Amino acid sequence: MEHDLSPATLAELRRPRPYPAVSVLTPTHRREPDNAQDRVRLRNAVAAAKKQLEEDPAVSRDRRTEVSRELDRALAEIDLTYAEDGLAIFAAPGEHQVWTLSRSVPERVVLSDTFLTRNLVAAQAAERPFWVLSVAADRVKLWSGGADRVVEEHLGGFPLDRPAEDFDPERQERIGDAPSTFRDEGTRRFLRDADTAMGRVLRAHPRPLYVTGPEPALSLFEEAGTLAADAVLVPHGGLAHGSAEAVWQAVRPVLENEARGSVEAVARELDAARGRKDFAAGVDELWESAHTGRVRLLAVEENFRVTMRDDGEHLLPAADGDLDAREDIVDEIVEQCLETGADVRFVPDGALRDADGIAGVLRY
């Protein structure tokens, strides 16, 4: 199952397909007992997609058979042991993908000539993914981080291990020159190579970067390359050979401190915008502003959800299941704001109580 939505991957997902490109969305659960229903709901959602294929006169018999086969293949690949809060299946002639999301999605089946991506985009923005690079004299390991965890990432050649001929810890211990490890030219070259490799990862998958390691390693990494200038350095040794949990515990206080600062900064910006009259609040107002590219900063409460319908002029409250209901209108606003270059911030529930869960600063 896929999780990392890079710009290149998103562009590929948005590429037009031969009709029908099928998107199947369903909420899932991480823990018992709620996850007991997930398998049945998933099978029902796929069955609903097949029914729509059968009833659509624009879909030929051969095309229906081909896409149904891709849906079955996708279903067979899903391991709900690793489920998060939502799941998306994309199927089209000759291809299928399965995405796990850290943000709940409405249950939905859509047939179109493109896949439905807005829920993936909103989930990625809400999760605030980041990279952690753990450096040592003999190994550099890459970790992918999200809202509440890190996992080791095998990408871009990582983990990197220093060639044995360039690094002899037994000799250092024997002759007592371990303190000079991070003054060694071989170590400098090794960390420079790690900097270059990480630079390639960041170009393909841009995220904030945190670098952990003992202070001498961090100093040399900063001197040897260019990435440290824009990274957050976290002095903590042993993590290049450590566990994901150890890395998470090392970076967690830094992330929590940054999150508090971010929420406070958002509150200040919204207050200032009220005084300048470039403040917007509520789904209806922000939906219109998002589609005209006027939003500079969008703030959304983490679990804010609302179902609306479009009457042609405004969004009005609707019930889940209404024929013209838009259950993921918040995700649509998030995606549209990101598309027009807005800064999107998710804040704790209740932080935007006076703005009905969603607020923004307008460009004009």
Side-chain angles (χ1 to χ4, degrees), residues 133-142 156-168 172 181-200 212 214 216-218 220-227 240-241:
L133 197 66
S134 295
V135 301
D138 61 334
R139 165 168 272 222
V140 178
K141 190 180 286 189
L142 178 63
F158 290 101
L160 296 180
D161 291 297
R162 186 171 171 181
E165 62 270 18
D166 288 346
F167 185 66
D168 186 355
Q172 291 176 356
T181 299
F182 293 103
R183 293 195 296 271
D184 177 72
E185 181 55 35
T187 305
R188 177 184 294 273
R189 185 167 55 251
F190 175 63
L191 294 185
R192 186 185 304 121
D193 290 344
D195 182 277
T196 300
M198 190 65 218
R200 289 193 291 266
T212 74
L218 295 180
L220 185 56
F221 184 79
E222 192 170 12
E223 293 173 12
T226 60
L227 298 182
H241 297 273

Side-chain angles (χ1 to χ4, degrees), residues 98-317:
V98 179
W99 286 80
T100 177
L101 291 76
S102 59
R103 181 172 166 85
S104 185
V105 297
E107 200 160 65
R108 167 178 289 178
V109 174
V110 177
L111 274 61
S112 183
D113 58 356
T114 58
F115 294 136
L116 185 66
T117 61
R118 60 175 172 258
N119 306 100
L120 272 68
V121 172
Q124 183 89 343
E127 188 176 37
R128 299 182 291 272
F130 57 90
W131 296 117
V132 180
L133 197 66
S134 295
V135 301
D138 61 334
R139 165 168 272 222
V140 178
K141 190 180 286 189
L142 178 63
W143 311 86
S144 176
D148 57 1
R149 75 206 183 289
V150 298
V151 294
E152 185 177 357
E153 185 72 52
H154 295 272
L155 183 70
F158 290 101
L160 296 180
D161 291 297
R162 186 171 171 181
E165 62 270 18
D166 288 346
F167 185 66
D168 186 355
E170 292 183 2
R171 174 182 179 275
Q172 291 176 356
E173 183 177 350
R174 187 168 62 251
I175 67 175
D177 66 349
S180 68
T181 299
F182 293 103
R183 293 195 296 271
D184 177 72
E185 181 55 35
T187 305
R188 177 184 294 273
R189 185 167 55 251
F190 175 63
L191 294 185
R192 186 185 304 121
D193 290 344
D195 182 277
T196 300
M198 190 65 218
R200 289 193 291 266
V201 171
L202 286 170
R203 284 191 292 275
H205 307 271
R207 300 183 186 179
L209 174 64
Y210 299 81
V211 184
T212 74
E215 291 193 5
L218 295 180
S219 295
L220 185 56
F221 184 79
E222 192 170 12
E223 293 173 12
T226 60
L227 298 182
D230 295 317
V232 177
L233 304 185
V234 182
H236 194 299
L239 299 181
H241 297 273
S243 66
E245 179 61 22
V247 175
W248 171 245
Q249 294 303 328
V251 300
R252 183 177 180 178
V254 178
L255 296 169
E256 290 176 345
N257 186 57
E258 288 183 344
R260 285 191 294 270
S262 177
V263 171
E264 292 168 0
V266 168
R268 288 194 297 270
E269 287 212 51
L270 293 175
D271 284 342
R274 284 187 177 94
R276 297 191 305 267
K277 309 300 183 185
D278 54 7
F279 173 82
V283 172
D284 184 38
E285 186 175 0
L286 280 162
W287 180 73
E288 181 181 357
S289 297
H291 281 270
T292 55
R294 295 178 61 206
V295 181
R296 178 174 65 80
L297 168 68
L298 180 72
V300 186
E301 291 185 358
E302 290 171 348
N303 293 298
F304 178 58
R305 282 282 187 270
V306 64
T307 300
M308 309 291 283
R309 63 180 178 85
D310 184 2
D311 73 350
E313 295 184 5
H314 296 283
L315 292 178
L316 302 174

Side-chain angles (χ1 to χ4, degrees), residues 1-5 13 23-30 38 78-80 82-90 97-106 116-127 146-149 305 328 331:
M1 295 190 291
E2 304 289 343
H3 188 86
D4 183 24
L5 188 66
L13 284 175
S23 302
V24 180
L25 303 178
T26 183
T28 53
H29 304 83
R30 299 172 187 247
D38 289 348
I78 295 172
D79 184 353
L80 290 174
Y82 303 101
E84 296 182 280
D85 302 305
L87 196 69
I89 297 176
F90 298 136
Q97 296 185 38
V98 179
W99 286 80
T100 177
L101 291 76
S102 59
R103 181 172 166 85
S104 185
V105 297
L116 185 66
T117 61
R118 60 175 172 258
N119 306 100
L120 272 68
V121 172
Q124 183 89 343
E127 188 176 37
D148 57 1
R149 75 206 183 289
R305 282 282 187 270
D328 55 354
D331 286 2

